[in-house]
Amino acid sequence: MPVTNLKLEPQAPPQPSAQVIALGYTARPGIDRRLSRFVAQAATNLLPLIVTLSFFTLAWQVICSSPESSLPAPSRVLEESWELIAHPFYTGQGVDQGLFWHVFASLQRVALGYVMAAAVGIALGVLVGQSALAMRGLDPIFQVLRTVPPLAWLPLSLAAFQDGTPSAIFVIFITAIWPIIINTAVGIRNIPQDYQNVARVLRLNGFEYFAKIMLPAAAPYIFTGLRIGIGLSWLAIVAAEMLIGGVGIGFFIWDAWNSSLISDIIVALIYVGIVGFLLDRLIALIGRAVTRGTANA
Amino acid sequence: MTKSYLSLELIDKTFERGGTRTEVLKQVSLAVEKGEFISIIGHSGCGKSTLLNIVGGLTQATSGVVLLDGKVVDEPGPDRAVVFQNHSLLPWLTVYENVRLAVDKVFSATRNKRERHDWTMRNLELVQMAHAADRRPSEVSGGMKQRVGIARALAMEPKVLLLDEPFGALDALTRAHLQDQVMQIHATLGNTVLMITHDVDEAVLLSDRIVMMTNGPSARIGEILDVPLPRPRRRIELASDRTYLKCREAVLKFLYERHRFVEAAE
């Protein structure tokens, strides 16, 4: 049987030789093909999204287009808030700023509160994960405190700080810290016995163990906590800013409501959503870069 | 009393959990000479891993002492490097960095950077892994990981090399290849090796002496078998060698006739 196969093969070339010409012809389209493949891939990834977006926009348009509708249709949003959409970098007096500046102010507060939460949260998480005594002493407190809604902290922090901005930052801090603590602790507790044995055979000291084994081993868990934390921070800042006022996307929304500028609220919500999404992606990206290879061997 | 290089004297180990005491090891004594290759074989659950961990200092014996080169062993240390069954490489470090971590730790005072780098590479070359130095453990095969684990252990220049079922998780061909490599390294460096295994052929092929453990609980050393085969040993020639077959038969008889594994004992 194989012999007949062998005999058949030499007979085959005449046919491919006809294709060689075609190949020579397609040598230039090679780039085109790569481009078209890219376009095709983009289309398969984006097309469903574009379809659903158009569908929702259309539905929204249809539902809200009647004159007595309480919410504006997309066309009316564009019309009424065009100033806002077209000039995100506009600077004016007081809270009369472009959307970019509102988002920027909010991001600054989130950054401050979040970075503090990350630092303190990881430290406490390591403590609770490492020491059974600290675990018994602190974990019940954490479990109770983490269920307190972010905004419930605001009056207390206003009383303590006597000022809006530090209060908002504190609310971010207290919101983001719990998932960071809890996930870090779980990560530390789940460090495989193997790695601990390696550390013991090598006689790594406390600091070496922390830097070379503990942090890298717990990194995937820590980043899970950080990612949940950033999401919660962004949720909390909008709510907190509504109450404290000043420049910031939260207060912008509240202000727009008080001025009955419903279209502005819709534009602001789109901003909030996209920024929240980008923040989440950012932390995920950093996490992937840092924990590269950590997952499993 | 004994002047052996490594001696285990009347080791007892009892685990206590929730009020129930389980005696794992009872009165285990063993004397190992420098450069000897010793295998410990026994059914699973007979406490052979516990015994290795006691020598490694990772577990404390309930009573009895381990003496290495005249000193009492009571904590882990690089003079008793362990090659773990599941390689235990740190996945966030490259192959090179895994070995280098050990080299840096053990020779931080005695060797400079250049020497430590060279020593790391020397040991990777010894297990033929220098070509993959910059890969991560997840990017190399199981056999390669275990070779890196061996390189890391060798790089510590241990007085005793402890192998905890080092080839257990590998396929037969890779295992044979690694066994040959370990034999060659043992011939070159003359390490003292304590290896746990449950593979009879592996034990006979590699060891100078085979320590056979009785079934747990309260496992003890049932018998110690000398393997008087000349080195270097070649597995193909040994396949029909009289002495080899006799040793093999002796171990098999011990394991399957006199100390048959009883599931109920678990």
Side-chain angles (χ1 to χ4, degrees), chain B residues 60-95:
Chain B
Q60 295 288 324
T62 309
S63 71
V65 282
V66 177
L67 287 165
L68 174 62
D69 205 8
K71 286 193 203 89
V72 174
V73 164
D74 53 4
E75 57 169 357
D79 57 342
R80 282 155 287 123
V82 188
V83 176
F84 300 96
Q85 178 173 12
N86 49 354
H87 66 78
S88 294
L89 299 178
L90 305 176
W92 51 88
L93 299 180
T94 62
V95 161

Side-chain angles (χ1 to χ4, degrees), chain A residues 178-225:
Chain A
W178 310 118
I180 300 176
I181 292 176
I182 290 164
N183 281 282
T184 304
V186 170
I188 300 287
R189 237 172 286 146
N190 281 353
I191 295 174
Q193 185 65 40
D194 296 338
Y195 302 164
Q196 296 176 35
N197 283 345
V198 169
R200 287 174 67 196
V201 168
L202 289 176
R203 290 208 182 123
L204 296 183
N205 62 36
F207 177 74
E208 287 166 331
Y209 179 68
F210 176 74
K212 293 191 171 144
I213 309 276
M214 200 190 269
L215 275 191
Y221 291 90
I222 295 176
F223 272 95
T224 304

Side-chain angles (χ1 to χ4, degrees), chain B residues 213-263:
Chain B
M213 308 268 297
T214 65
N215 283 338
S218 305
R220 12 170 216 95
I221 293 178
E223 200 175 305
I224 297 180
L225 178 77
D226 273 303
V227 184
L229 291 165
R231 292 178 188 271
R233 298 173 181 170
R234 267 179 275 274
R235 67 176 67 241
I236 300 169
E237 292 164 19
L238 289 178
S240 53
D241 186 286
R242 270 264 179 81
T243 325
Y244 178 86
L245 292 176
K246 245 165 81 186
C247 292
R248 200 170 175 276
E249 193 190 356
V251 180
L252 286 173
K253 271 195 173 147
F254 177 90
L255 289 177
Y256 298 106
E257 258 177 39
R258 284 156 51 201
H259 295 276
R260 224 170 44 222
F261 183 53
V262 190
E263 202 69 49

Side-chain angles (χ1 to χ4, degrees), chain A residues 204-247:
Chain A
L204 296 183
N205 62 36
F207 177 74
E208 287 166 331
Y209 179 68
F210 176 74
K212 293 191 171 144
I213 309 276
M214 200 190 269
L215 275 191
Y221 291 90
I222 295 176
F223 272 95
T224 304
L226 287 175
R227 218 171 139 189
I228 298 170
I230 196 76
L232 291 181
S233 302
W234 193 240
L235 291 182
I237 189 65
V238 174
E241 281 176 347
M242 284 185 174
L243 299 176
I244 63 162
V247 179

Side-chain angles (χ1 to χ4, degrees), chain B residues 35-39 176 179-184 186-187 195 200-210 225-239 241 243-244 247:
Chain B
E36 250 190 323
F37 197 120
I38 305 279
S39 287
Q179 286 165 351
D180 290 344
Q181 257 180 355
V182 165
M183 267 199 287
Q184 198 163 11
H186 180 240
M195 178 179 77
V200 176
D201 286 296
E202 180 172 283
V204 179
L205 179 68
L206 295 178
S207 329
D208 296 313
R209 283 190 292 156
I210 302 173
L225 178 77
D226 273 303
V227 184
L229 291 165
R231 292 178 188 271
R233 298 173 181 170
R234 267 179 275 274
R235 67 176 67 241
I236 300 169
E237 292 164 19
L238 289 178
D241 186 286
T243 325
Y244 178 86
C247 292

